[in-house]
Amino acid sequence: KSVISEEEQARMVINTLDTIILLCSHPLPEWQPGQSPETKLDQCLRSLRESDMKVILETAMRIREEATSIHEAVAELQGILAQFQRLAIEPQNSVPDVVVWMLV
């Protein structure tokens, strides 16, 4: 059993959801002159990430409004965590664009 009261757990879940909603409401940073040129892969990843962040934002807002139990909200937050972990993977760290271009 948890040593944290149910009220405190609920407050933590709500604070977490509010933070997710706030952070996912901000757009991703734009490409800046002076950085390496944006590739087609970069553009596709940006589009995918923007779409995923929109889904995460909508999910967090739905949980915030409709969750009826802490356990339900925590289970949904674990799904959001998995989405964030998937978004954090940077494919260009493992296969440079040059190698991909050579294969095509």
Side-chain angles (χ1 to χ4, degrees), residues 14-44:
I14 290 169
N15 287 341
T16 301
L17 288 167
D18 288 344
T19 301
I20 291 169
I21 291 167
L22 176 68
L23 295 176
C24 287
S25 296
H26 294 289
L28 293 173
E30 294 293 327
W31 177 83
Q32 297 294 318
Q35 295 177 334
S36 60
E38 190 175 38
T39 65
K40 184 71 173 169
L41 176 60
D42 293 327
Q43 294 167 358
C44 289

Side-chain angles (χ1 to χ4, degrees), residues 14-99:
I14 290 169
N15 287 341
T16 301
L17 288 167
D18 288 344
T19 301
I20 291 169
I21 291 167
L22 176 68
L23 295 176
C24 287
S25 296
H26 294 289
L28 293 173
E30 294 293 327
W31 177 83
Q32 297 294 318
Q35 295 177 334
S36 60
E38 190 175 38
T39 65
K40 184 71 173 169
L41 176 60
D42 293 327
Q43 294 167 358
C44 289
L45 284 173
R46 179 181 187 79
S47 176
L48 177 65
R49 288 175 177 153
E50 287 172 341
S51 173
D52 284 348
M53 286 182 60
K54 181 179 177 186
V55 169
I56 291 170
L57 175 63
E58 291 168 355
T59 301
M61 291 171 67
R62 181 185 50 77
I63 296 168
R64 178 79 163 83
E65 296 298 320
E66 300 174 5
T68 57
S69 75
I70 295 170
H71 299 293
E72 174 188 335
V74 168
E76 298 240 24
L77 281 170
Q78 288 173 333
I80 289 174
L81 173 62
Q83 287 178 293
F84 277 133
Q85 289 171 330
R86 187 174 48 84
L87 281 172
I89 296 172
E90 179 57 63
Q92 289 180 327
N93 285 341
S94 59
V95 181
D97 286 346
V98 173
V99 175

